């Protein structure tokens, strides 16, 4: 991320669950010092981290329509990228903040009551449709297994 300055961005403190503030890890590369000291080695390190992270993210994207923990694998790939790239660190921090906010909203009693009400209404509708199907067709399945 080019901010027009040669100095790395400063990490901000975050507020924890109990209200205490804890400093976040600083932005930038987490490569070993001997790797960062040599420009060519650091560049090849970054290329390797990018390729490994890209492979993990692609596998996660493939898992989205297929069985498997697609989103978890995608975020693992982002975490691999975040060890080296500031933009990935910023994306992960933003995602973590949004997930925490959503979890707090889900714990709100009004939201929980609304979700429970919507679930009950959905189950009643599904039960009514199943009842209508059974009343009209009985337990006969729509395919003809006995004819074969």
């Amino acid at each position: 991320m080019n901010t027009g300055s040669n100095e790395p961005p400063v990490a901000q403190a975050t507020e924890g669950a109990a209200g205490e503030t804890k400093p976040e890890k600083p932005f930038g590369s987490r490569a070993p010092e001997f790797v960062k000291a040599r420009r060519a080695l650091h560049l090849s390190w970054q290329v390797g981290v990018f390729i490994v992270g890209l492979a993990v993210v692609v596998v996660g994207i493939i898992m989205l329509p297929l069985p498997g923990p697609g989103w978890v694998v995608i975020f693992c790939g982002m975490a691999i990228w975040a060890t080296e790239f500031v933009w990935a660190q910023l994306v992960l921090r933003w995602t973590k903040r949004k997930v925490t906010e959503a979890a707090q909203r889900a714990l709100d009693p009004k939201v929980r009551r609304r979700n429970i009400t919507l679930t009950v209404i959905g189950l009643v509708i599904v039960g009514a449709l199943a009842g209508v199907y059974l009343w009209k067709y009985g337990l006969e399945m729509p395919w003809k297994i006995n004819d074969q």
Side-chain angles (χ1 to χ4, degrees):
M1 181 169 96
N2 187 4
T3 60
S5 152
N6 290 335
E7 297 180 17
V10 178
Q12 299 174 348
T14 58
E15 191 170 315
E20 72 277 357
T21 58
K22 58 180 180 177
E24 290 185 347
K25 293 180 184 175
F27 291 106
S29 175
R30 290 183 178 80
E33 290 302 320
F34 75 90
V35 171
K36 286 194 256 184
R38 293 162 184 85
R39 182 151 173 78
L41 186 58
H42 191 237
L43 184 61
S44 62
W45 178 275
Q46 285 181 327
V47 168
V49 167
F50 182 79
I51 290 172
V52 170
L54 182 65
V56 173
V57 168
V58 167
V59 167
I61 290 171
I62 290 171
M63 283 187 190
L64 286 176
L66 300 174
W71 286 110
V72 174
V73 174
I74 290 172
F75 287 122
C76 287
M78 289 296 296
I80 291 170
W81 279 339
T83 63
E84 199 57 40
F85 303 107
V86 174
W87 61 267
Q89 293 168 2
L90 292 171
V91 168
L92 280 179
R93 286 185 184 176
W94 178 84
T95 303
K96 182 179 178 183
R97 191 170 46 250
K98 292 299 179 183
V99 166
T100 304
E101 289 171 6
Q104 292 300 321
R105 279 195 311 269
L107 293 176
D108 181 29
K110 286 188 224 176
V111 174
R112 290 185 70 198
R113 271 194 302 275
R114 183 197 66 202
N115 290 345
I116 290 172
T117 303
L118 289 174
T119 302
V120 167
I121 290 171
L123 289 174
V124 167
I125 290 171
V126 168
L129 290 173
V132 167
Y133 178 85
L134 289 174
W135 175 68
K136 190 167 185 177
Y137 299 106
L139 284 176
E140 183 178 328
M141 295 296 157
W143 53 85
K144 306 263 190 236
I145 295 176
N146 296 336
D147 292 345
Q148 296 177 354

